[in-house]
Amino acid sequence: PIGTEYYEQDCKQAFSALEAFDGGLQVGGGITADNAGKFLEKGASHVIVTSFVFKNGQVNLDNLRRMTTAVGKNKLVIDLSCRMRDGKYYIVTDRWQKFTDVELNEKTMDMFSRYCDEFLIHAVDVEGKASGIEEKLAEMMGEYCEIPATYAGGISSFGDLEKLKELGMQVDKGWYAQIPKKKEGEFVNINEEMQSLKDEVLRLNEENKALNELLVAAEVKAAQAEKYRKIVMILMEESA
């Protein structure tokens, strides 16, 4: 919790990472309108917020507006991680243990998109299981998200990546998928990505093959040199 020695140690480690990769990392966890600025000052590209904008299971619009005012829309990521309940997805908070009353749907995505630059959405029901993606959620994100939105959860194979690509997502080798800005972003062709990986493997195999050939040639030359050395020794003994 904020104010404890553990929080201070967490901040210390976070600041160290942010300073090492200035502008390349986002940071979340205990972010409020009061402390978000210091993380941006240390080099965070964005701050990620969840609990600060959800209170007692509802959206706290005052806090949401305060956060956007404090850091700017272009520096804010809202975590809309969700779980299924009664056939619908509901946003969850507090280590994903508490359901809010806020359903994740086209209407709520549109509303939140007015306040932030990106969404972060974990499919909590499959997160960490590597058992396949939450296809319905990914499809909904692909259809309704009008700003960049990162999907995470359940990805276990290239087949999952292919499916996410079909749903309109830009797929990263780090096993998450992101919906780029619909007007500005460009989709990555996963087939090209996979071919690039295959080409790299082939290149490494060729290099390994060439190295093995050099090693064999070196062994042959060493054997020949030893043979000649023995011949020379015999000739020297005979001449003596």
Side-chain angles (χ1 to χ4, degrees), residues 97-162:
Q97 299 303 306
K98 292 184 179 180
F99 277 90
T100 69
D101 296 327
V102 184
E103 181 186 346
L104 186 65
N105 53 31
E106 180 180 10
K107 182 179 178 180
T108 52
M109 288 184 190
D110 178 67
M111 187 275 290
F112 283 117
S113 69
R114 303 170 195 172
Y115 295 92
C116 66
D117 193 46
E118 299 180 19
F119 294 142
L120 169 62
I121 304 178
H122 288 262
V124 176
D125 292 321
V126 297
E127 179 62 69
K129 299 179 180 178
S131 58
I133 64 172
E134 190 78 20
E135 190 171 322
K136 182 179 177 180
L137 175 60
E139 183 177 7
M140 186 167 64
M141 291 172 62
E143 184 175 359
Y144 298 140
C145 287
E146 294 294 335
I147 61 174
T150 299
Y151 168 92
I155 300 174
S156 61
S157 67
F158 280 108
D160 289 332
L161 298 182
E162 281 281 8

Side-chain angles (χ1 to χ4, degrees), residues 23 39 48 66 68-69 72 75 80 106 149 159 179 201 205 207 212:
F39 291 99
I48 305 169
R66 281 182 60 204
T68 303
T69 300
K75 295 291 186 180
L80 301 179
E106 180 180 10
I179 299 169
V201 170
N205 285 339
E207 289 184 357
N212 286 335

Side-chain angles (χ1 to χ4, degrees), residues 26-58:
Q26 300 177 354
V27 64
I31 302 296
T32 70
D34 296 324
N35 66 18
K38 65 181 180 181
F39 291 99
L40 295 174
E41 291 171 2
K42 293 294 184 178
S45 65
H46 295 71
V47 289
I48 305 169
V49 66
T50 309
S51 298
F52 185 70
V53 300
F54 293 97
K55 296 295 181 182
N56 301 317
Q58 300 292 327

